[in-house]
Amino acid sequence: MTQPSYRIERATRSSTIGLAVLGLGLIGLLLLPLTGDRATMRLIVEIAYFLALAQMWNLLAGYAGLLSVGQHAFIGFGGYMLFALVAHAGFSPIYSLPIAGLLSGLISIPVAILMFRLSGPYFAIGTWVVAEVFKLAFFEVPALGGGSGMSLPLQAVRDIAPSAQGRELIIYISALAIAVASVVAVYALLRSRYGLALTAIRDSERASASVGVDTFRLKLGVFVAVAAFTGMIGALIFLQKLRISPVAAFDVMEWSAAIIFIVVIGGIGRIEGPFVGIAIFFLLRETTSDFGAWYLILLGLLAIAIMLFARQGIWGLIADRYRINVFPVERQVHLDDHRQRQASSTSLTPTSEKH
Amino acid sequence: MTKKQELSRRQVLGGLAGTAAIPALASPALAQNNSLKIGFVQPETGPLAEVASGNAFVLENLRQALAGGLQVDGGQTRNVEIVVRDSQSNSNRASEVAADLILGEEVDIMCAAIHPLTVTPVADQCELNGVPLISSITPWETQFYGRGATDDAPFSYQLHQFWGFGEITNTFIDIWNQLDTNKVVGGLWPNNPDGVGFAQGFTPILEERGFTVIDPGRYQDLTDDFSAIIRMFLENEVEIVTGVVLPPDWTTFWTQAAQQGLSVKAATTAAALAFPGTAEQLGPLAQNHSFDLFWHPSFPFESSVTGQSAADYAAAFEEQTGRQWIQPIGTVHSVFETAIDALKRSGGGDWEATREAMFATNLNTIQGPIVAGSGPVPNAVITPLTGAQWRQSDGPFDFEAVIVSNIAADGVDAGGTVQATA
């Protein structure tokens, strides 16, 4: 008997097509400024930063198993760092974005060391408490406006570019860059050997620890990296808003609840999930947000329905039904024996262990 | 195979062309030749919704008056459209909808009212994008110093018409000086934009005028226990309580104060009981509670748009809504008066022309005269502020607002003198 020959593949036909479509979409978005439609550009900026936030939370909760409901701590912190750097250190707003991210990453290290002592629901509640503590702390900083908040010095914003169009173009490109970077970073991480370890943690933390995965170090690394990225996105958000206050910066409904909604609806533990979640969230918002409280009730009902009947989210339904996959992070073994052309994969779908 | 590829390429190109065409169709370039657009951001929902609850009437009344268009300088008659957006009492949302009105709707002038949470983000967006803004219903200092302007570097695009801390402090002191007290004032200033501003603004002026200020520090909104603060007021023999308090917090404080034996001669607040609805909820405990009143049907002014007097305007409100008049309706109406007048004089030109017209405003409105350049800073015009007390009434409504101080309201008559709280 001869050894069956086999090859290991990652790209599938669906992933090639999917990535091509996304690439074309990105080119389309890069051409959008030519139309001069500033309102749509602003909407795309918002979609871009929500996508990046959702990718980060998905990495954190969907892969590393760190179910944080307090990511708005880093959004607000990053936003405040932007204001501090611009107003008090005289930095340019654009250069302040990565520095704000770096500072958010730094502050997340003591937070992580404290929070990792908690597990499960206690960890979730703990992260929320951290966000509340951040909020209360910024109430007490008069240099950053205390409870009333502060406006970004408009001169600094005007210095980004001489014209309003130029300014918005730079912010637009920065937002697209952050969104693309978030997707590429998560994709690259998951395809690396750390990705394999993270996928193992996702499916069972205890089992992965038993086969030699350093779960603490890996989770710490992910937590800090996600905090840094989230802080940078927070800085971008408040560069758009021009004004920050503790209540606006550390708003659980506006940030964490929306992000969790997007990821859960789209499909947790899959890179495609946040894309689908974003599409649904913004479609609903643009069409029904004028109904006030009913809009929020609708979002809540949808989230409950998905959690009850489609735990893998909408992308989970699609992917399982049609076996498609835009970002192939798992290796597939193809046996070259024609009689059994079936593909087996290391972990096509998240297991149900965590439910 | 080749055929299939061609088809998909065509589809892709068609799709791209489609996305490019949508924004072109949505562009308001054509409509702008006919209609003038006034943007308006207000907290229609959220914690401040009550303050904006009369604005539906204000807008309906204005839309009727403008139904035939507006004759602008130069002779053209232009339609006027008011585009309203809800800030949800949330500054993030206010910033977002203001940008949408500027970039998406391309409004000719912006209006914003009620609380720094709504007005400040709108003002920041207008200033950055060069859009003229008329704003009101927040002390002018929050819009000027609170947003980082200085006397040497004012803002270029905002005209704010309201009173400031000087007016409200003088009015409150005038109320207290009509009573015989030990001049010890307890301050209820929460840790929110209003509370921080009022605490900083009030304390030095009160001390200069011979009052002792007992300040327990900034408390968090929606506190359920005021006993530490009440004990501090009792120990210091506070006879006057003031502050800028959320209505539910005032109810909590006032009931707990009664339980713990704190009885004061004057309870004078901003925000807490500024509306008849909240006074009714408190019942007899609201009797003689004093507050800042910036518009009243007895104001001797009339609208430049509809010609209605303040009394007629309040009567129309009560008839159409079946509710008692509330003070913001006159103030919000006058914001639109100023905006319409600026559009009229600019001939409906671009933002710069309207901005210049706005800073040349000299108009008599239902809120009083608005003369640009007459205020303490270039961006602010001071409008009349009175002090009033709630008195139980036999009339159609439970409580009536009686003006007891007109020290900061030129031309407005008082309706009575101050009475001590029970």
Side-chain angles (χ1 to χ4, degrees):
Chain A
M1 241 194 182
T2 54
Q3 281 276 41
S5 67
Y6 62 90
R7 63 209 150 82
I8 294 175
E9 276 185 350
R10 276 184 156 161
T12 61
R13 217 166 73 130
S14 64
S15 77
T16 315
I17 296 171
L19 286 176
V21 168
L22 279 179
L24 279 179
L26 185 62
I27 292 170
L29 288 177
L30 286 171
L31 293 176
L32 179 75
L34 297 179
T35 67
D37 183 353
R38 296 160 76 193
T40 308
M41 280 168 66
R42 219 184 142 82
L43 181 66
I44 301 288
V45 168
E46 205 186 345
I47 292 175
Y49 65 63
F50 264 110
L51 176 67
L53 287 171
Q55 286 294 355
M56 287 300 124
W57 191 77
N58 190 28
L59 176 64
L60 197 64
Y63 286 96
L66 294 165
L67 202 72
S68 163
V69 292
Q71 285 310 98
H72 54 294
F74 302 111
I75 296 176
F77 187 84
Y80 262 108
M81 288 306 104
L82 169 82
F83 277 60
L85 289 165
V86 171
H88 296 301
F91 279 58
S92 144
I94 295 296
Y95 295 126
S96 301
L97 296 179
I99 308 177
L102 212 63
L103 293 170
S104 307
L106 281 179
I107 192 94
S108 76
I109 296 172
V111 171
I113 290 170
L114 214 63
M115 285 302 115
F116 284 8
R117 303 177 72 89
L118 308 170
S119 64
Y122 299 100
F123 176 82
I125 293 166
T127 52
W128 192 342
V129 170
V130 167
E132 284 297 300
V133 170
F134 275 29
K135 172 161 98 182
L136 295 175
F138 280 104
F139 264 110
E140 304 302 328
V141 185
L144 294 172
S148 22
M150 72 183 289
S151 296
L152 201 59
L154 289 176
Q155 197 48 50
V157 183
R158 290 201 186 100
D159 288 344
I160 295 177
S163 71
Q165 277 80 1
R167 218 158 43 225
E168 269 151 34
L169 186 65
I170 291 176
I171 292 180
Y172 181 76
I173 299 294
S174 311
L176 284 187
I178 286 180
V180 171
S182 75
V183 177
V184 171
V186 173
Y187 187 38
L189 178 73
L190 291 178
R191 288 183 67 140
S192 72
R193 67 193 186 94
Y194 299 109
L196 199 58
L198 278 173
T199 315
I201 294 180
R202 175 192 72 183
D203 291 340
S204 169
E205 185 172 346
R206 194 174 296 172
S208 51
S210 74
V211 294
V213 175
D214 186 346
T215 58
F216 179 85
R217 238 185 61 191
L218 199 59
K219 281 161 67 180
L220 179 70
V222 168
F223 190 82
V224 172
V226 165
F229 221 105
T230 306
M232 183 162 75
I233 303 164
L236 176 77
I237 291 174
F238 285 96
L239 175 58
Q240 281 273 87
K241 307 271 186 209
L242 301 177
R243 185 166 180 90
I244 199 163
S245 69
V247 175
F250 302 97
D251 186 334
V252 64
M253 281 301 290
E254 177 137 16
W255 310 125
S256 289
I259 296 163
I260 294 171
F261 174 87
I262 288 167
V263 177
V264 167
I265 292 291
I268 193 167
R270 298 162 194 270
I271 300 180
E272 298 89 344
F275 283 94
V276 176
I278 282 279
I280 293 167
F281 180 71
F282 276 88
L283 270 177
L284 279 175
R285 206 189 71 175
E286 294 300 302
T287 51
T288 58
S289 72
D290 287 342
F291 299 113
W294 286 107
Y295 157 68
L296 293 172
I297 292 170
L298 185 70
L299 285 192
L301 287 177
L302 184 63
I304 293 171
I306 296 278
M307 278 185 270
L308 282 178
F309 303 114
R311 290 186 167 187
Q312 301 300 326
I314 289 175
W315 182 256
L317 285 184
I318 298 172
D320 289 351
R321 175 83 175 73
Y322 301 104
R323 301 201 131 247
I324 49 173
N325 187 342
V326 180
F327 295 97
V329 293
E330 54 270 309
R331 294 166 182 81
Q332 304 200 347
V333 183
H334 290 268
L335 300 176
D336 281 343
D337 183 349
H338 285 278
R339 273 171 303 158
Q340 44 176 105
R341 248 198 98 101
Q342 76 189 52
S344 71
S345 64
T346 47
S347 58
L348 196 65
T349 56
T351 67
S352 57
E353 195 251 5
K354 62 182 179 293
H355 297 303
Chain B
M1 197 67 201
T2 325
K3 203 177 174 187
K4 199 176 166 192
Q5 269 179 348
E6 270 176 9
L7 190 69
S8 75
R9 193 190 305 139
R10 207 178 295 144
Q11 277 174 335
V12 169
L13 287 174
L16 275 178
T19 42
I22 291 163
L25 283 174
S27 153
L30 263 177
Q32 225 177 13
N33 289 336
N34 305 319
S35 263
L36 288 169
K37 274 191 182 174
I38 304 177
F40 180 47
V41 184
Q42 57 155 350
E44 230 173 306
T45 53
L48 295 162
E50 166 116 21
V51 190
S53 63
N55 291 354
F57 166 82
V58 175
L59 292 165
E60 182 55 35
N61 173 281
L62 282 165
R63 283 176 180 140
Q64 277 172 15
L66 294 167
L70 176 74
Q71 191 170 12
V72 298
D73 284 9
Q76 254 188 321
T77 298
R78 307 273 298 265
N79 288 325
V80 180
E81 193 185 333
I82 304 176
V83 190
V84 184
R85 289 283 186 278
D86 179 10
S87 72
Q88 300 172 355
S89 309
N90 170 322
S91 64
N92 287 329
R93 184 79 191 153
S95 172
E96 216 49 57
V97 294
D100 176 48
L101 284 173
I102 294 168
L103 304 175
E105 296 285 341
E106 301 186 2
V107 296
D108 294 283
I109 194 168
M110 186 78 87
C111 296
I114 305 171
H115 205 275
L117 279 180
T118 292
V119 180
T120 307
V122 177
D124 286 336
Q125 293 290 347
C126 286
E127 191 70 24
L128 182 65
N129 290 293
V131 180
L133 164 72
I134 318 277
S135 54
S136 190
I137 315 196
T138 173
W140 67 263
E141 290 91 340
T142 66
Q143 293 308 298
F144 194 75
Y145 301 117
R147 287 180 44 230
T150 59
D151 295 332
D152 300 327
F155 293 119
S156 306
Y157 292 93
Q158 183 180 23
L159 187 65
H160 187 73
Q161 45 187 65
F162 207 57
W163 40 266
F165 292 117
E167 285 71 33
I168 194 171
T169 321
N170 283 338
T171 301
F172 281 11
I173 290 175
D174 183 49
I175 292 173
W176 302 332
N177 282 342
Q178 292 180 43
L179 295 165
D180 184 25
T181 70
N182 63 0
K183 294 199 159 189
V184 180
V185 181
L188 282 177
W189 293 303
N191 199 351
N192 64 27
D194 275 348
V196 173
F198 273 72
Q200 284 167 358
F202 260 63
T203 312
I205 304 178
L206 286 180
E207 283 172 348
E208 199 179 293
R209 301 276 291 269
F211 288 85
T212 310
V213 178
I214 308 299
D215 182 358
R218 309 288 74 77
Y219 66 91
Q220 292 300 322
D221 283 331
L222 303 176
T223 300
D224 55 9
D225 183 11
F226 282 96
S227 42
I229 294 177
I230 293 168
R231 219 164 23 247
M232 192 169 164
F233 287 177
L234 278 169
E235 279 164 13
N236 290 285
E237 295 177 358
V238 163
E239 288 193 347
I240 301 164
V241 172
T242 189
V244 47
V245 188
L246 293 183
D249 281 340
W250 181 257
T251 310
T252 312
F253 169 80
W254 201 231
T255 349
Q256 290 181 356
Q259 282 164 2
Q260 296 184 38
L262 176 71
S263 149
V264 295
K265 290 181 177 161
T268 311
T269 58
L273 293 188
F275 296 93
T278 41
E280 280 162 24
Q281 279 165 17
L282 202 56
L285 281 176
Q287 174 75 353
N288 285 332
H289 185 107
S290 41
F291 60 100
D292 53 315
L293 182 75
F294 41 84
W295 188 80
H296 186 276
S298 75
F299 275 29
F301 309 120
E302 59 184 44
S303 164
S304 62
V305 174
T306 66
Q308 286 164 299
S309 70
D312 290 344
Y313 190 67
F317 176 84
E318 291 183 351
E319 195 193 306
Q320 274 189 32
T321 64
R323 299 170 48 202
Q324 192 169 4
W325 63 272
I326 55 174
Q327 44 175 329
I329 56 172
T331 311
V332 172
H333 182 90
S334 87
V335 166
F336 284 100
E337 286 185 65
T338 312
I340 291 163
D341 177 64
L343 287 176
K344 203 171 175 174
R345 283 181 295 105
S346 76
D350 60 8
W351 287 336
E352 282 308 309
T354 306
R355 179 187 88 97
E356 276 167 34
M358 177 177 86
F359 281 116
T361 299
N362 185 348
L363 180 72
N364 286 318
T365 73
I366 203 162
Q367 173 70 73
I370 305 292
V371 183
S374 67
V377 294
N379 298 108
V381 172
I382 302 294
T383 57
L385 172 69
T386 71
Q389 283 190 309
W390 288 118
R391 302 267 166 80
Q392 281 176 304
S393 141
D394 308 325
F397 302 104
D398 289 3
F399 282 93
E400 231 178 282
V402 177
I403 296 179
V404 293
S405 168
N406 57 2
I407 194 166
D410 263 352
V412 176
D413 291 330
T417 52
V418 180
Q419 294 175 8
T421 50

